[in-house]
C-alpha cells in the first residue's frame, strides 16, 4: 500500500450525483477532504456521511470541502444525499479507477468470502493538490473529529 503523504494527489474526473463531471482541480485553493467509502445506505457509511454532514460548517470555516467517493452509481448517490440531507457531493467511481489510484481498492474478507472492494479511507489534500494526511482502514467512530483536529492544527 502506497503512502501518498507529501505527494501530489492523483487527479481525477468523476460524475457527481447530478451527473456533473467533477475534477480534483476544481477545488484548487481549497483543502479537500476526499473520503472513500464502500456503499451508500449501509450503516457504517451512513454514520460516516452524517458525521461529515454534521461537521460541514466546521470544515467550511477551515476552507475545506468534503467529497465522498464510492463505486455506487450517481442515481444511488442522489437518493443517499436526499435521504440524509448531505451538503456535499458524492462521486461515482463505478470502474474504481480513482479508488485504485489512491490504493483503496483492495481484497477484502467478510463472512469467509473474499472480494475486491473499497477500504474506508480519507485523504486530506492541501490547496496546492498535495496529500498532507491520510487515514486508511478507517473506523467511523471519532474519525471526523480526528480529521477536524488535523485540519485545525494545520491552520495554526
Amino acid at each position: 500500500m502506497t503512502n501518498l503523504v507529501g505527494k501530489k494527489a492523483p487527479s481525477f474526473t468523476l460524475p457527481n450525483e447530478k451527473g456533473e463531471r467533477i475534477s480534483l482541480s476544481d477545488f484548487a485553493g481549497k483543502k479537500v477532504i476526499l473520503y472513500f467509502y464502500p456503499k451508500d445506505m449501509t450503516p457504517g457509511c451512513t454514520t460516516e456521511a452524517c458525521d461529515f454532514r454534521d461537521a460541514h460548517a466546521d470544515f467550511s470555516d477551515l476552507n475545506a470541502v468534503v467529497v465522498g467517493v464510492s463505486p455506487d452509481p450517481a442515481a444511488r448517490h442522489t437518493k443517499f444525499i436526499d435521504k440524509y440531507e448531505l451538503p456535499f457531493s458524492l462521486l461515482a467511481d463505478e470502474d474504481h479507477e480513482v479508488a485504485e489510484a489512491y490504493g483503496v481498492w483492495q481484497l477484502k474478507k467478510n463472512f469467509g468470502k473474499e472480494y475486491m472492494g473499497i477500504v474506508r479511507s480519507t485523504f486530506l489534500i492541501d490547496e496546492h493538490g498535495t496529500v498532507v494526511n491520510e487515514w486508511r482502514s478507517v473506523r467511523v467512530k471519532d474519525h471526523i473529529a480526528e480529521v477536524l483536529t488535523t485540519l485545525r492544527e494545520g491552520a495554526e
Side-chain angles (χ1 to χ4, degrees):
M1 181 176 348
T2 313
N3 183 331
L4 294 175
V5 174
K7 298 187 174 102
K8 199 90 178 135
S11 64
F12 60 81
T13 302
L14 289 171
N16 70 2
E17 68 284 352
K18 297 177 188 133
E20 301 162 337
R21 311 239 353 119
I22 304 295
S23 300
L24 181 58
S25 58
D26 295 343
F27 304 109
K30 288 192 174 290
K31 295 179 183 91
V32 178
I33 291 109
L34 185 67
Y35 84 97
F36 290 86
Y37 65 100
K39 194 166 180 54
D40 292 338
M41 309 287 187
T42 56
C45 297
T46 299
T47 299
E48 184 177 31
C50 291
D51 287 351
F52 273 123
R53 175 198 66 202
D54 296 346
H56 191 257
D58 296 321
F59 286 117
S60 293
D61 291 347
L62 293 162
N63 191 36
V65 295
V66 174
V67 180
V69 179
S70 89
D72 290 310
R76 189 166 169 93
H77 285 337
T78 302
K79 287 182 186 140
F80 192 39
I81 286 170
D82 291 348
K83 183 169 183 176
Y84 295 102
E85 299 178 4
L86 304 179
F88 49 84
S89 273
L90 298 176
L91 306 184
D93 187 19
E94 292 185 74
D95 57 11
H96 44 82
E97 261 179 49
V98 177
E100 288 181 41
Y102 281 82
V104 301
W105 185 257
Q106 297 174 20
L107 186 65
K108 297 171 76 172
K109 288 182 179 144
N110 200 6
F111 301 113
K113 288 194 173 105
E114 288 191 345
Y115 59 96
M116 293 301 288
I118 286 193
V119 175
R120 188 181 314 276
S121 304
T122 303
F123 298 86
L124 174 56
I125 302 165
D126 73 10
E127 299 88 341
H128 311 291
T130 300
V131 177
V132 292
N133 208 324
E134 63 182 20
W135 295 265
R136 293 181 182 267
S137 301
V138 164
R139 295 242 176 272
V140 173
K141 186 173 168 33
D142 301 325
H143 175 57
I144 279 67
E146 257 182 73
V147 175
L148 266 172
T149 298
T150 302
L151 256 178
R152 285 190 181 111
E153 286 168 356
E156 288 168 7

